[in-house]
Amino acid sequence: ISLDPQFHAAGVAGEAFFVGEEDDVVGDGFETRGREVGDAAGAEEIVIRSSGEVETSATGGVLGPHTGFMPLWAYTCETPLTKAGPRIRALLRELDANFDSDIARAHALSALITRHAIYKTGTTDTLTTGEQALEDGSGVCQDHAHIFIAAMRLLGHPARYVSGYLLAGDGSELH
């Protein structure tokens, strides 16, 4: 992806904002990259307009080989929220055994999870386990992720939780 950002600060003349230098890229532990943007005192609004062209391809959710710092085996360990219990094991028994690929199985698992834990806000919190969400029959994206992670690990695949990369609704809800 190649973007050509244009920055404009409303209500203040001159340098009311700063943009990191082109080589001044910031990142986090998950290799998310970006450039720093901030405002100077007195700025009432900063508008960022970007234009570009995005080429896409169907990858079935696979982004490529693992390039992170953590070894893949680290994503095979249970956590309190992703511990597989009887409900997650029963969910896996419902999966058809005939899939053309592990990706097809993972997509079918994802669909099965949404049927057993209906998306409903306010029914769980950040301490709800995947097992609890299945017992309640409802949850939100984090609960679906906890169930999926536990199930994929039972199937022998490393899986991890990533959050906060999609703003939904009015822009105040992270997924």
Side-chain angles (χ1 to χ4, degrees):
I1 184 169
S2 176
L3 297 178
D4 178 23
Q6 299 172 356
F7 300 91
H8 168 74
V12 177
E15 297 189 20
F17 58 91
F18 64 88
V19 178
E21 296 297 320
E22 193 147 335
D23 293 336
D24 188 22
V25 176
V26 296
D28 63 15
F30 300 109
E31 298 186 16
T32 305
R33 298 168 51 91
R35 295 199 28 215
E36 290 183 359
V37 177
D39 65 321
E44 297 173 12
E45 177 183 17
I46 294 179
V47 177
I48 302 173
R49 292 187 180 91
S50 293
S51 62
E53 188 173 308
V54 178
E55 293 182 22
T56 63
S57 61
T59 64
V62 177
L63 300 179
H66 174 64
T67 60
F69 298 107
M70 293 291 289
L72 286 177
W73 62 260
Y75 303 120
T76 62
C77 304
E78 284 186 340
T79 67
L81 298 176
T82 63
K83 185 174 182 174
R87 288 176 181 80
I88 291 172
R89 293 176 195 282
L91 190 73
L92 280 177
R93 286 192 295 273
E94 284 188 43
L95 268 181
D96 185 355
N98 300 317
F99 291 99
D100 293 336
S101 68
D102 288 336
I103 296 298
R105 180 179 290 109
H107 284 249
L109 173 62
S110 180
L112 187 61
I113 290 168
T114 61
R115 288 195 298 275
H116 283 271
I118 306 299
Y119 187 91
K120 185 175 179 185
T121 59
T123 60
T124 60
D125 60 33
T126 57
L127 299 177
T128 302
T129 68
E131 281 288 314
Q132 290 168 326
L134 281 175
E135 180 180 0
D136 295 343
S138 64
V140 293
C141 55
Q142 72 186 11
D143 304 301
H144 293 168
H146 291 150
I147 298 164
F148 185 82
I149 290 167
M152 289 303 290
R153 288 175 177 168
L154 282 176
L155 292 171
H157 299 284
R160 72 176 188 172
Y161 185 95
V162 178
S163 68
Y165 291 101
L166 173 66
L167 287 175
D170 63 359
S172 64
E173 190 176 342
L174 288 175
H175 289 272

